């Protein structure tokens, strides 16, 4: 089983460290799968088959090839486990997976493919100044509802125990089959779907190395509430 590789943490991102320090200027495996965000949280990044897609409000979905990111969570994904299901949504997916294996204390990479009856996603506005706070970004994000849209959910299940490292529970980004629509998933519904998943025994985290990160003041008391407000 391959590991999850992560650059920075959701805790650091939500605490205001969203200057891009991780370079994309390298070759990537065609199995690379995951998600992240761009500098200043100006775009939601979705990674599929080694390609990086940036979704920003008011812009067409586009490739990122030579950029720097503040947060990234990826793995080499292969469908080691798969099942078909009906009447699936964001509220019962956890239970459907729990019927296959106990997931409370493990990491999963999860890929859900369907023609979704409804898909609700959000995209941030681009911030050229990169001076706004995380809460200011969340308050101006664009939310769109799509009906009868074919595509896939790309993301991870993180145990509550690791909720300051990654988003606790499910964290999904959507990518349409025609590669025209993407974003952070708020909710979804499908009459029929295929769920592929991999158990991940290892997560490897690289912290930013900048002086700004080293001096970052993280208020743990406020962090959990902010993660819930922005990511859920």
């Amino acid at each position: 089983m391959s590991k999850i590789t992560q650059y920075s943490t959701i805790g650091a991102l939500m605490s205001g460290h969203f200057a891009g320090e991780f370079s994309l200027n390298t070759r990537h495996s065609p199995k690379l799968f995951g998600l992240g965000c761009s500098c200043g949280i100006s775009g939601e990044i979705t990674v599929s088959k080694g390609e990086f897609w940036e979704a920003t409000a008011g812009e067409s979905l586009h490739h990122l090839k030579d950029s720097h990111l503040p947060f990234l969570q990826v793995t080499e994904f292969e469908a080691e486990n798969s099942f078909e299901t009906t009447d699936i949504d964001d509220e019962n997916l956890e239970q459907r997976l729990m019927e296959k294996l106990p997931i409370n204390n493990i990491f999963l990479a999860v890929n859900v493919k369907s023609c979704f009856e409804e898909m609700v996603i959000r995209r941030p506005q681009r911030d050229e100044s990169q001076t706004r706070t995380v809460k200011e970004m969340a308050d101006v994000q664009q939310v769109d509802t799509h009906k009868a849209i074919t595509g896939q959910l790309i993301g991870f299940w993180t145990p509550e125990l690791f909720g300051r490292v990654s988003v606790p529970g499910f964290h999904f980004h959507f990518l349409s089959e025609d590669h025209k629509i993407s974003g952070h998933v708020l909710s979804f519904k499908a009459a029929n779907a295929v769920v592929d998943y991999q158990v991940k025994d290892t997560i490897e985290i690289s912290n930013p190395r900048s002086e700004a990160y080293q001096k970052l003041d993280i208020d743990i008391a406020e962090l959990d509430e902010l993660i819930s407000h922005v990511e859920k």
Side-chain angles (χ1 to χ4, degrees), residues 39-88:
C39 291
I41 317 185
S42 287
E44 300 285 357
I45 304 299
T46 304
V47 186
S48 176
K49 297 181 179 180
E51 296 182 323
F52 288 69
W53 300 87
E54 182 183 34
T56 301
E59 301 178 14
S60 298
L61 186 64
H62 50 273
H63 274 118
L64 277 187
K65 293 184 178 179
D66 186 5
S67 185
H68 289 76
L69 305 181
F71 176 80
L72 182 67
Q73 188 177 30
V74 291
T75 190
E76 290 196 356
F77 185 82
E78 293 183 90
E80 292 179 349
N81 307 278
S82 183
F83 63 94
E84 296 182 5
T85 188
T86 60
D87 297 323
I88 189 78

Side-chain angles (χ1 to χ4, degrees), residues 4-19 21-22 35-37 41 69-73 107 134 158 162-168 171 203-209 213 216 218 220 223 226-227 231:
I4 295 173
T5 300
Q6 185 169 306
Y7 184 81
S8 192
T9 62
I10 198 68
L13 185 71
M14 294 297 103
S15 297
H17 190 75
F18 36 76
E21 294 188 34
F22 175 73
L35 47 77
C37 67
I41 317 185
L69 305 181
F71 176 80
L72 182 67
Q73 188 177 30
F107 287 91
V134 173
T158 296
F162 294 88
R164 294 166 185 164
V165 171
S166 182
V167 177
H171 184 187
I203 181 167
E204 181 179 273
I205 301 167
S206 295
N207 275 331
R209 301 179 65 182
Y213 174 75
L216 184 66
I218 299 178
I220 298 298
L223 181 59
L226 188 58
I227 291 173
E231 295 294 340

Side-chain angles (χ1 to χ4, degrees), residues 158-187:
T158 296
E160 290 285 341
L161 178 65
F162 294 88
R164 294 166 185 164
V165 171
S166 182
V167 177
F170 289 114
H171 184 187
F172 282 125
H173 286 189
F174 174 73
L175 181 63
S176 65
E177 187 177 54
D178 59 9
H179 293 169
K180 292 183 178 180
I181 295 172
S182 187
H184 175 96
V185 175
L186 297 177
S187 65

Side-chain angles (χ1 to χ4, degrees), residues 66-153:
D66 186 5
S67 185
H68 289 76
L69 305 181
F71 176 80
L72 182 67
Q73 188 177 30
V74 291
T75 190
E76 290 196 356
F77 185 82
E78 293 183 90
E80 292 179 349
N81 307 278
S82 183
F83 63 94
E84 296 182 5
T85 188
T86 60
D87 297 323
I88 189 78
D89 59 35
D90 51 289
E91 294 186 355
N92 64 23
L93 177 57
E94 178 180 349
Q95 181 58 41
R96 300 293 171 86
L97 278 164
M98 285 285 286
E99 293 169 1
K100 305 298 179 182
L101 76 169
I103 66 173
N104 286 339
N105 300 320
I106 63 175
F107 287 91
L108 297 175
V110 184
N111 187 205
V112 182
K113 298 178 181 179
S114 180
C115 178
F116 293 90
E117 295 176 19
E118 181 177 277
M119 177 64 60
V120 182
I121 58 174
R122 67 118 193 266
R123 295 175 293 159
Q125 304 283 342
R126 187 169 298 282
D127 178 24
E128 298 296 348
S129 68
Q130 297 185 24
T131 59
R132 67 187 175 191
T133 66
V134 173
K135 189 175 185 305
E136 288 170 340
M137 177 281 298
D139 290 342
V140 298
Q141 63 190 347
Q142 179 176 322
V143 176
D144 297 303
T145 300
H146 299 274
K147 304 288 188 179
I149 184 168
T150 300
Q152 59 180 316
L153 304 181

